[in-house]
Amino acid sequence: MSVETDFRALLAAHAPLTALVSTRIALNAVPEGSAFPLVVFAAQHTPTLGLDGTLLAHQATLDVQCWAETAAAADAVADAVVAAAALAPSARGCALLGRSTTHDPEVGKDGTTLSFDWWAV
């Protein structure tokens, strides 16, 4: 399985999050006209290699955007994502790196952006 598949499955299995966003958890982009609130995420991969080129570990930075009608609703979705990530298997080493807020004036929605480190060994 890929980091993206594992992370999405972790989020989709967390009932408090799905109570807020249903199945609106997407990789990279959401279809135009999607309902809110929703979660969209992307991954940047960084392999850790040994001197002989052997893959020792795989690290991914997951950037997660939680969008909703209001800043408070976006924060509630983000809180549920953080709670879901805390349930990741310890072999994944999922750790929250940062949290920020955003606003998209074009669609008139507020967001909370999260960044996670995800390790696979």
Side-chain angles (χ1 to χ4, degrees), residues 88-110:
S90 56
R92 297 296 178 239
C94 188
L96 180 64
L97 299 175
R99 182 176 181 140
S100 62
T101 59
T102 189
H103 176 77
D104 186 337
E106 192 173 306
V107 294
K109 305 296 185 222
D110 289 299

Side-chain angles (χ1 to χ4, degrees), residues 10 17 42-43 47 56-57 64 82 96-97 106 113 116 118 120:
L10 179 70
L17 177 59
L56 303 175
V64 183
V82 170
L96 180 64
L97 299 175
E106 192 173 306
T113 302
F116 292 96
W118 181 281

Side-chain angles (χ1 to χ4, degrees), residues 51-119:
L51 293 176
D52 63 354
T54 303
L55 179 65
L56 303 175
H58 185 98
Q59 182 266 333
T61 301
L62 297 162
D63 292 314
V64 183
Q65 297 178 5
C66 306
W67 291 97
E69 298 291 337
T70 66
D75 276 343
V77 172
D79 290 343
V81 169
V82 170
L87 300 174
S90 56
R92 297 296 178 239
C94 188
L96 180 64
L97 299 175
R99 182 176 181 140
S100 62
T101 59
T102 189
H103 176 77
D104 186 337
E106 192 173 306
V107 294
K109 305 296 185 222
D110 289 299
T112 301
T113 302
L114 305 167
S115 184
F116 292 96
D117 233 358
W118 181 281
W119 286 88

